[in-house]
């Protein structure tokens, strides 16, 4: 297993759960939601998106992949009315005299629900950072609706084939995130889906059984659901890999000491 890398300028070392609030609302290129044709049934598919990085990635980058995918899924599946950064900006930016920025009608600045959603999501992102700093995380599950054992939709981030290196010998986080979302955009996995009502989202992830995490709850007998719509995002590395980077393992025995952990908080959807 690779040792933890240092803080990366472009990684998650500055905590994705505490975005800066600029003077103008942050843009979210490539995050426009698809048409969501309401008259069509959701396609009964389990699509897979594969992304190959041309080098090793750091643990900080792996954490960023999970956090950004979580925020993306919540927005694309109508559990957030705006992309996370924009929602945080509009909900927490005080009104100003002569303000020329028109507030989206879907966002009520005084809404306790909006504030609670942001608080829960930011807490989740912070605890994901802690988890990734304590252990390698081979798989992450984002479960929408229903329960952890029977969700309506399941989104899996598979990191088993990723080569983890130190920050200095790894690819830049921003370029890797850009490649990930370019692949999701090309695959167009959200545009044909029916819009979902507000519902709960559960986050689960695998970690070493002795990693010492306190916030996430161990689920020793958890089995990944086989029903419901599923999207799998497989990440792997190729190209120039440093000898000191941890090589991915294709054997089941390499992960036998890794168990599922469940976040104790369910993220409640907010799409008013």
């Amino acid at each position: 297993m690779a040792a933890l890398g240092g803080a990366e300028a472009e990684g998650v070392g500055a905590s994705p759960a505490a975005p800066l609030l600029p003077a103008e609302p942050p843009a979210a290129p490539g995050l426009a939601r698809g048409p969501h044709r309401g008259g069509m049934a959701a396609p009964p598919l389990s699509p897979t998106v594969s992304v190959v990085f041309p080098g090793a990635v750091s643990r900080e980058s792996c954490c960023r992949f999970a956090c950004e995918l979580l925020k993306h899924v919540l927005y694309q599946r109508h559990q957030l009315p705006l992309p996370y950064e924009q929602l945080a900006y509009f909900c927490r930016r005080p009104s100003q005299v002569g303000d020329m920025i028109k507030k989206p009608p879907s966002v009520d600045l005084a809404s306790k629900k909006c504030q609670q959603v942001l608080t829960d999501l930011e807490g989740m992102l912070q605890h994901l950072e802690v988890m990734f700093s304590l252990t390698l995380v081979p798989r992450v599950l984002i479960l929408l609706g229903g329960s952890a054992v029977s969700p309506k939709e399941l989104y899996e981030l598979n990191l088993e084939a990723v080569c983890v290196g130190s920050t200095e010998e790894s690819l830049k986080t921003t370029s890797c995130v850009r490649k990930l979302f370019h692949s999701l955009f090309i695959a167009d996995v959200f545009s044909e889906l029916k819009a979902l009502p507000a519902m709960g989202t559960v986050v689960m992830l695998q970690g070493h059984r002795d990693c010492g995490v306190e916030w996430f709850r161990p689920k020793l007998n958890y089995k990944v659901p086989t029903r419901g719509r599923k999207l799998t995002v497989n990440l792997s590395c190729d190209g120039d890999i440093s000898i000191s980077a941890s090589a991915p393992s294709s054997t089941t025995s390499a992960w036998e000491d890794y168990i599922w952990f469940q976040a104790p908080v369910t993220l409640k959807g907010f799409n008013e």
Side-chain angles (χ1 to χ4, degrees), residues 74 78-80 113 117 197-201 266-271:
L74 290 175
H78 292 253
Q79 303 309 300
L80 296 177
K113 183 184 295 185
V117 167
M199 56 180 57
T201 298
T266 298
L267 300 174
K268 294 181 171 59
F270 168 66
N271 56 16

Side-chain angles (χ1 to χ4, degrees), residues 16 19-21 26-27 31 68 71 82-90:
L20 295 176
L21 300 184
L31 285 181
E68 294 301 324
K71 293 186 287 186
L82 291 171
Y84 164 72
E85 284 76 11
Q86 292 185 13
L87 186 66
Y89 175 85
F90 283 114

